Amino acid sequence: MTDRSDFLEQARKLLGARGLTGDAELMEPWLTDWRGRFTGRALALASPASTAEVAGLVKLCAQHSVAVVPQGGNSGMSGGATPDDSGEAILLSLRRMDAIRSLDPQARQVTCDAGVILQNLHDAAEQQRLRFPLTLGGKGSATIGGLISTNAGGTQVLRHGAMRAQVLGLEAVLADGSVFDALTPLKKDNRGFDLKQMLIGSEGTLGIVTAATLRLLPEIGGRVVVWAGLDSIADARRLLLHCEDRAGDALEGFEVVPAHCLESVLDHLPDARAPLADRHAWNALIELVSPPGEDDRLRALAEAMLGDAMEAGLLRDAAIAANETQAEQFWLLRDSIAPAERAIGPAMQHDISVPVAAMPDFVDSAIPRVERHFPGTRAIGFGHLGDGNVHFHVLAPAGAKRGEWEASQGKRISAFVHDLVTEFGGSISAEHGIGQIKVDELGRLGDPVALSLMRSVKQALDPQGILNPGKLVPGAAATTG
Ligand SMILES: Cc1cc2nc3c(=O)[nH]c(=O)nc-3n(C[C@H](O)[C@H](O)[C@H](O)COP(=O)(O)OP(=O)(O)OC[C@H]3O[C@@H](n4cnc5c(N)ncnc54)[C@H](O)[C@@H]3O)c2cc1C
């Protein structure tokens, strides 16, 4: 192990006692990802309070060849924010940088530090009768920097796009400690490469995001949430097209839930009730929104849209949430699928996408192929049909032991699923990123030309390989120190 005392002394001088700790107890909660899949070690936990401090620290790391693992809320799904077990890397937390620098209600723009928690951004926007159009289950801990670095999705991508679409400007510290300042939002800017877009979704491997300017939208006036019962996922796709056609911009979300998932959730949540009287092979959760003052018009639109869909044979039954409480209950059923599945037993989870039009064929063919190949398992696909993104889970045979089953079968199952996704021209990571969990699979299945480009970009921006080594870019050279 290299002697790092000189480096640590300089880092402490730069960041002060509050900004740097090597205390094992203080570091411990941040060295394991929230799902408990990865645990690492770190030389120290750095918590800078400003962009200048991040820049100073990264410069120091570059001089001493010390690896840097950026971390926001540690709510990521791919182990991207967990260092390896060498204990040689600095864990760089952005959580202390949590200021909303400015919010301009007229321009509908907000500039905030990377450590701002998503829920806090929602609250700040709401106070100005605005909204930030991206949300997800981890909103109480996910930070703006983490959301940008993973190009996070969520339930509103259908209408508003993923995080990439929300970013108007970006500030980031590069691998040599220089500050890339592109915070000013310009509607038109043709000075060559859009470098901020390269940093978005780069999972801390090309730079440390320190601030961003984000777009805001006017607040929602009303919403209509619908639970519909369907015969097949092909019908769900047809219903989606019908809703897009009829509701246009009012359509904010379209999620699919197979019967098995709904039944698991009803078992899991003691007070929950099925929205429809009969069991349906598939269910769709549809959300429409309108500007203030248009609630009645929106409800009439929803009723006409559903009536026509029923007549056309696209759905069997549907319930419109009578009020906000019931709307929340419908969403709770959707949001409880993952915890309900976890309570049943072990599962291998895959966040995948295929072209939206191919999704019904993918689900209908992948489920029986997986279940035949791995006898006793049950495969399910649920989630963001409107984005061509389902969470494809393979549940273990009854009685399988948690931990043991994943260790013995997990890699084979995931490789099988990823091969199927590749066959359909899809992506092995729709919204959760690559991190460390999928880096080998990206290396195995990624297009060689794209992989080579990724390595070239990484080499150009981080020649020493100090930024989040071992994550995202298969085969990238990493710092030894
Ligand atoms: C209950 C729950 C539901 C979720 N649902 C969704 C969902 O629907 N869709 C979805 O996309 N995600 C979802 N997530 C995952 C997660 O919230 C997102 O991936 C989020 O973007 C991670 O933000 P974070 O601040 O926690 O980042 P972290 O987990 O701390 O880090 C994630 C990655 O970004 C890097 N990073 C973090 N901050 C920075 C920075 N400032 N600069 C450079 N790199 C950085 C890290 O090194 C790591 O590679 C969910 C999580 C939970 C807990």
Side-chain angles (χ1 to χ4, degrees):
M1 201 160 160
T2 326
D3 178 12
R4 294 294 186 196
S5 44
D6 183 32
F7 165 79
L8 285 171
E9 199 186 309
Q10 290 185 55
R12 194 159 290 119
K13 229 183 251 167
L14 178 77
L15 302 176
R18 225 186 131 195
L20 192 86
T21 181
D23 184 306
E25 236 173 79
L26 292 177
M27 291 201 289
E28 197 260 346
W30 308 108
L31 291 172
T32 298
D33 69 305
W34 74 276
R35 296 208 285 190
R37 292 182 177 183
F38 300 97
T39 296
R41 294 193 307 130
L43 188 59
L45 170 66
S47 310
S50 66
T51 301
E53 285 190 2
V54 176
L57 179 70
V58 174
K59 192 170 179 194
L60 202 57
C61 288
Q63 283 161 358
H64 291 259
S65 295
V66 171
V68 184
V69 178
Q71 189 179 80
N74 198 22
S75 72
M77 301 283 201
S78 307
T82 311
D84 66 16
D85 60 6
S86 67
E88 294 278 330
I90 283 283
L91 185 60
L92 171 50
S93 167
L94 278 298
R95 285 181 295 275
R96 257 180 92 200
M97 291 175 57
D98 62 354
I100 294 196
R101 295 189 189 178
S102 64
L103 196 159
D104 181 343
Q106 267 82 44
R108 293 189 196 138
Q109 288 166 5
V110 59
T111 298
C112 59
D113 283 350
V116 167
I117 288 172
L118 179 57
Q119 180 66 61
N120 295 344
L121 176 63
H122 283 169
D123 294 345
E126 215 174 287
Q127 279 169 21
Q128 301 293 332
R129 307 196 62 188
L130 295 168
R131 67 172 174 139
F132 179 63
L134 185 143
T135 193
L136 41 77
K139 65 185 174 191
S141 45
T143 62
I144 297 309
L147 293 158
I148 289 174
S149 303
T150 58
N151 185 30
T155 48
Q156 294 165 337
V157 175
L158 175 65
R159 164 100 189 273
H160 303 291
M163 197 63 191
R164 193 180 289 287
Q166 320 310 328
V167 178
L168 304 173
L170 196 75
E171 178 191 89
V173 169
L174 304 180
D176 60 357
S178 57
V179 178
F180 170 68
D181 181 355
L183 262 187
T184 310
L186 295 175
K187 269 207 168 169
K188 292 179 105 175
D189 180 12
N190 258 352
R191 286 174 293 176
F193 309 147
D194 190 345
L195 297 167
K196 70 176 179 307
Q197 286 296 341
M198 199 164 63
L199 287 158
I200 299 170
S202 69
E203 300 185 30
T205 62
L206 300 182
I208 315 290
V209 175
T210 46
T213 302
L214 305 168
R215 73 179 181 129
L216 300 172
L217 297 181
E219 66 176 350
I220 288 173
R223 67 170 175 165
V224 169
V225 177
V226 176
W227 191 277
L230 317 160
D231 286 341
S232 66
I233 188 162
D235 279 351
R237 159 85 176 129
R238 282 190 279 273
L239 180 62
L240 167 66
L241 290 174
H242 172 78
C243 294
E244 282 176 335
D245 192 35
R246 293 295 295 275
D249 273 359
L251 180 65
E252 180 115 344
F254 193 105
E255 303 278 308
V256 286
V257 178
H260 173 78
C261 289
L262 177 59
E263 283 152 8
S264 309
V265 170
L266 294 174
D267 287 346
H268 182 65
L269 299 176
D271 298 331
R273 287 181 44 210
L276 302 174
D278 294 329
R279 179 187 198 273
H280 299 276
W282 284 88
N283 304 272
L285 177 61
I286 306 161
E287 177 160 311
L288 308 181
V289 301
S290 69
E294 295 189 18
D295 300 27
D296 291 346
R297 190 195 62 81
L298 187 69
R299 212 173 169 83
L301 170 74
E303 281 166 3
M305 184 183 84
L306 293 172
D308 291 348
M310 186 92 81
E311 238 171 60
L314 302 181
L315 56 86
R316 291 278 166 199
D317 195 5
I320 297 182
N323 47 40
E324 257 308 297
T325 311
Q326 202 173 29
E328 284 298 314
Q329 284 165 354
F330 286 5
W331 271 108
L332 182 66
L333 296 174
R334 156 67 183 90
D335 290 338
S336 302
I337 296 174
E341 297 295 357
R342 264 198 297 281
I344 295 173
M348 291 304 298
Q349 301 165 346
H350 309 94
D351 157 49
I352 56 99
S353 67
V354 297
V356 184
M359 187 53 87
D361 283 349
F362 172 78
V363 170
D364 283 341
S365 88
I367 287 177
R369 281 166 79 179
V370 167
E371 290 178 351
R372 255 197 323 272
H373 206 82
F374 300 98
T377 59
R378 179 192 270 264
I380 51 167
F382 66 92
H384 323 301
L385 178 72
D387 311 330
N389 168 206
V390 290
H391 300 300
F392 193 85
H393 292 187
V394 181
L395 315 187
K401 280 220 168 79
R402 211 181 285 276
E404 269 178 30
W405 180 77
E406 293 96 319
S408 69
Q409 302 295 318
K411 269 200 173 152
R412 281 177 53 229
I413 291 174
S414 292
F416 191 84
V417 171
H418 292 157
D419 286 347
L420 289 174
V421 170
T422 307
E423 214 178 276
F424 275 77
S427 164
I428 64 167
S429 177
E431 60 176 4
H432 292 165
I434 296 295
Q436 52 184 307
I437 203 168
K438 285 183 182 167
V439 71
D440 291 343
E441 282 294 82
L442 182 61
R444 184 174 75 85
L445 294 169
D447 168 45
V449 176
L451 290 177
S452 161
L453 268 175
M454 281 174 75
R455 283 185 206 109
S456 303
V457 171
K458 172 74 175 166
Q459 177 65 26
L461 267 73
D462 180 19
Q464 285 196 85
I466 60 167
L467 293 182
N468 219 358
K471 316 287 170 52
L472 178 60
V473 189
T479 181
T480 48

